[in-house]
Amino acid sequence: MQPSLLPFLLLLVLAGRKAANLSKSIVTLYPPWFHVLKNDLVTLRCEGSGTPEGNSILWLHNDTIIPVQIQDYNIITKNISYSGKYQCQRGQSALSEPVGLEVFPDWLVLQTLKLVYMKGESMVLRCHSWENKGISKVTFYQNGIGRKFFQHDSNFSISKVDSNDNGDYFCSATIRNRRETSRVVRITVQDPSSSTSSSSKIWYILFYLVMGVLFAADTGLYFTLKREINGPKNKRRPLTRWR
């Protein structure tokens, strides 16, 4: 290894260790739904390691700083401009991963905790009405087929999802003697074994790719040093006797 590369590699190692020790902040939604309606109250909580000094918490909405520095950021989604990604940074933690929030100007919205479930997980769906208006005759649809009907209950749950639960979901309900329908939400169910196998293949490919690059670099460095050692400047002149 060339001596000039050593300080650079040491800096990379130290930077990697520092990044690994710096945990990320986390944004949590209360209630936990990321699809909401106009005039809904949503609380975003910023959690992270360390204690923020003087409530110095950084909030971002679509990469723009929000002028608040509190742990619980309450918003009323007055219009769709509140849609987008939210991030925060608290104390000694790093900036959080973005959490998406989507606001719809509708009468109904189908809410779920996430869009991708693993096989065997439980799934909860909620048919939510604008300003929590009273609803009745709630029906949940999967791929256009009515799956469950409730007179007043707006929640539908599946204890263990499988591949048959893939599809497009929406709900309908009666509000003030009018039948309203939500937008479609696509939900995917994945098999953990297949995803693990795919990720393992990716790691194997990355491993052999890195090893190949390192081997090529070492080989090139070896022949470079060999040429320098055997070059004309490094050849010794034959000894001659004094006459």
Side-chain angles (χ1 to χ4, degrees):
M1 181 182 297
Q2 297 180 5
S4 59
L5 294 178
L6 184 58
F8 176 72
L9 292 178
L10 289 176
L11 287 175
L12 288 179
V13 172
L14 292 175
R17 289 182 178 178
K18 183 177 180 181
N21 294 331
L22 193 61
S23 61
K24 289 187 177 182
S25 302
I26 299 174
V27 177
T28 308
L29 294 175
Y30 296 94
W33 318 109
F34 53 89
H35 286 168
V36 297
L37 296 173
K38 285 178 58 178
N39 296 334
D40 278 349
L41 173 62
V42 180
T43 298
L44 296 93
R45 173 169 293 176
C46 184
E47 298 176 313
S49 61
T51 302
E53 298 179 0
N55 290 332
S56 58
I57 295 178
L58 175 67
W59 281 101
L60 298 174
H61 176 218
N62 293 332
D63 300 323
T64 300
I65 296 177
I66 305 172
V68 295
Q69 294 180 316
I70 54 179
Q71 182 178 10
D72 291 343
Y73 174 44
N74 299 315
I75 59 175
I76 297 178
T77 56
K78 297 178 180 180
N79 50 58
I80 61 175
S81 66
Y82 287 86
S83 299
K85 64 178 183 179
Y86 290 83
Q87 293 173 278
C88 76
Q89 185 174 11
R90 169 183 169 159
Q92 301 301 317
S93 302
L95 187 66
S96 70
E97 294 292 336
V99 170
L101 186 69
E102 194 165 1
V103 182
F104 298 100
D106 300 331
W107 282 96
L108 288 176
V109 64
L110 180 71
Q111 296 177 318
T112 179
L113 297 177
K114 52 187 178 180
L115 298 177
V116 179
Y117 288 84
M118 303 306 292
K119 183 179 179 181
E121 286 186 326
S122 61
M123 179 175 71
V124 177
L125 302 179
R126 179 177 183 240
C127 194
H128 172 52
S129 61
W130 177 62
E131 295 187 342
N132 293 313
K133 303 288 185 182
I135 59 177
S136 62
K137 298 180 181 178
V138 183
T139 306
F140 290 88
Y141 295 84
Q142 179 192 10
N143 298 325
I145 301 174
R147 181 154 183 179
K148 288 291 183 180
F149 170 81
F150 301 96
Q151 185 61 32
H152 296 289
D153 192 358
S154 58
N155 292 337
F156 168 48
S157 62
I158 302 174
S159 58
K160 293 182 179 181
V161 296
D162 56 31
S163 58
N164 295 323
D165 298 311
N166 277 303
D168 296 330
Y169 287 80
F170 67 93
C171 67
S172 66
T174 300
I175 305 176
R176 294 180 178 178
N177 298 322
R178 292 178 54 184
R179 197 68 181 171
E180 301 291 345
T181 302
S182 73
R183 304 191 188 202
V184 172
V185 176
R186 173 159 294 184
I187 295 177
T188 304
V189 178
Q190 296 182 346
D191 191 336
S193 60
S194 61
S195 61
T196 302
S197 176
S198 301
S199 60
S200 299
K201 291 179 181 179
I202 293 175
W203 280 113
Y204 277 123
I205 294 173
L206 290 175
F207 172 76
Y208 286 113
L209 180 62
V210 171
M211 293 301 295
V213 171
L214 292 176
F215 176 77
D218 288 342
T219 303
L221 182 61
Y222 168 77
F223 284 107
T224 300
L225 293 174
K226 186 175 182 180
R227 283 196 299 269
E228 291 181 355
I229 294 174
N230 297 329
K233 295 182 179 180
N234 293 324
K235 289 184 177 180
R236 295 183 177 180
R237 296 181 180 179
L239 296 176
T240 56
R241 295 182 179 178
W242 290 94
R243 293 184 179 179

